[in-house]
Amino acid sequence: QVQLVESGGGLVQAGGSLRLSCAASGRTFSGYLLGWFRQAPGKEREFVAAISRSGLSTYYAASVKGRFTISRDNAKDTVSLQMNSLKPEDTAVYYCAAQSGTRYNTAERYDYWGQGTQVTVSS
């Protein structure tokens, strides 16, 4: 089992920045591909970003590429999402997730999920 706990959400004005963090406990953290997803009210959960086990490969949704940066620290069992140039359409509950596979943009492939943290971007 892997337990994931997100933090860092909040309210920010458009154009601002937030940094989300996700702390993991349980099984070997470095053995999992990690991802961030988000879900806005009335919408399906969507892929945001993912990072490989080593941290050398990163993947982004087109809507956030160039604005968001995912990173991980396997020594501290944490994964972060730096979000810059935030837009009102980024408003959602953000979830971190871990999987033992490679389908980084497919929510159903993730084995473990955090409880989510709310990000609200005002215009």
Side-chain angles (χ1 to χ4, degrees):
Q1 287 282 354
V2 175
Q3 292 78 41
L4 302 170
V5 179
E6 302 96 336
S7 61
L11 173 65
V12 64
Q13 288 189 331
S17 298
L18 279 176
R19 185 177 181 86
L20 305 183
S21 294
C22 178
S25 61
R27 290 188 174 180
T28 305
F29 182 76
S30 60
Y32 292 90
L33 180 148
L34 303 172
W36 285 95
F37 286 75
R38 65 187 181 187
Q39 187 166 19
K43 295 188 177 181
E44 293 188 354
R45 190 169 298 190
E46 65 172 356
F47 168 74
V48 175
I51 188 165
S52 64
R53 290 160 180 78
S54 65
L56 294 178
S57 297
T58 55
Y59 314 92
Y60 297 94
S63 59
V64 307
K65 196 168 187 178
R67 300 188 297 122
F68 291 11
T69 302
I70 188 171
S71 60
R72 68 189 293 168
D73 186 336
N74 286 339
K76 296 182 178 179
D77 290 354
T78 58
V79 57
S80 299
L81 185 68
Q82 177 66 42
M83 305 186 295
N84 298 330
S85 302
L86 283 161
K87 304 175 181 180
E89 50 264 44
D90 294 318
T91 295
V93 177
Y94 283 70
Y95 300 88
C96 70
Q99 68 163 282
S100 55
T102 59
R103 296 285 297 274
Y104 61 84
N105 61 351
T106 305
E108 292 76 12
R109 295 293 185 173
Y110 283 79
D111 304 302
Y112 304 102
W113 292 84
Q115 82 289 349
T117 186
Q118 176 70 47
V119 171
T120 303
V121 184
S122 63
S123 57

